[in-house]
Amino acid sequence: MRRCAVLMAAAVILLAAVSAFAQTPGQTPAQGPDTAVQAAEQVVIHFFVVPRVLPGGKEAAGKFPELRKFLAKTAGGYSQLGSCDGGALLPSGEVRAETNICFMVSASRDVSAEIAAYLKTHFEYKAPFVLSWPGSRH
């Protein structure tokens, strides 16, 4: 009896998976063929951190207005996620901890090189932490 229940559950899961793959592209399970679906815009998502304190010990807050302008011009906008803590392993084996400001932007193209170059120049950041990955914006 138990084996039959397991086989029935597996069949239900398989049918659900087949149903999901059989959908019309761009159509979600709750939508029928008569429902208009707006296609998602393909974008590149960028996450990066900016140090709160510059290498010389000066607060970086005065540089943020220009960074925001740069991001709006380069990526079309930005999300400042706020304070975030992180750490990096140094060659000596020591972990260097920092408090940073985290940002996220999406753009129609990969702008990670421009962001990294800006951080190197304006924040004296030798090795900027910039991540990017494909995504979609609805």
Side-chain angles (χ1 to χ4, degrees), residues 10-64:
V12 168
I13 292 170
L14 181 61
L15 282 172
V18 168
S19 173
F21 285 115
Q23 293 177 53
T24 303
Q27 184 179 353
T28 63
Q31 297 170 326
D34 297 333
T35 305
V37 178
Q38 186 175 3
E41 176 187 0
Q42 297 303 299
V43 295
V44 178
I45 302 164
H46 306 78
F47 172 84
F48 60 97
V49 299
V50 180
R52 292 184 78 124
V53 178
L54 299 172
K58 183 178 178 185
E59 287 288 323
K63 295 184 175 275
F64 284 100

Side-chain angles (χ1 to χ4, degrees), residues 73-132:
K73 182 179 176 185
T74 305
Y78 64 91
S79 292
Q80 185 171 329
L81 304 176
S83 182
C84 56
D85 296 324
L89 184 63
L90 300 175
S92 66
E94 176 188 354
V95 175
R96 182 190 70 220
E98 287 184 333
T99 299
N100 301 297
I101 304 297
C102 295
F103 284 85
M104 186 175 286
V105 298
S106 66
S108 59
R109 62 184 180 82
D110 186 350
V111 294
S112 56
E114 288 105 314
I115 293 170
Y118 187 93
L119 297 177
K120 285 179 182 180
T121 302
H122 295 86
F123 287 86
E124 306 166 45
Y125 219 174
K126 290 182 183 177
F129 183 74
V130 181
L131 301 175
S132 62

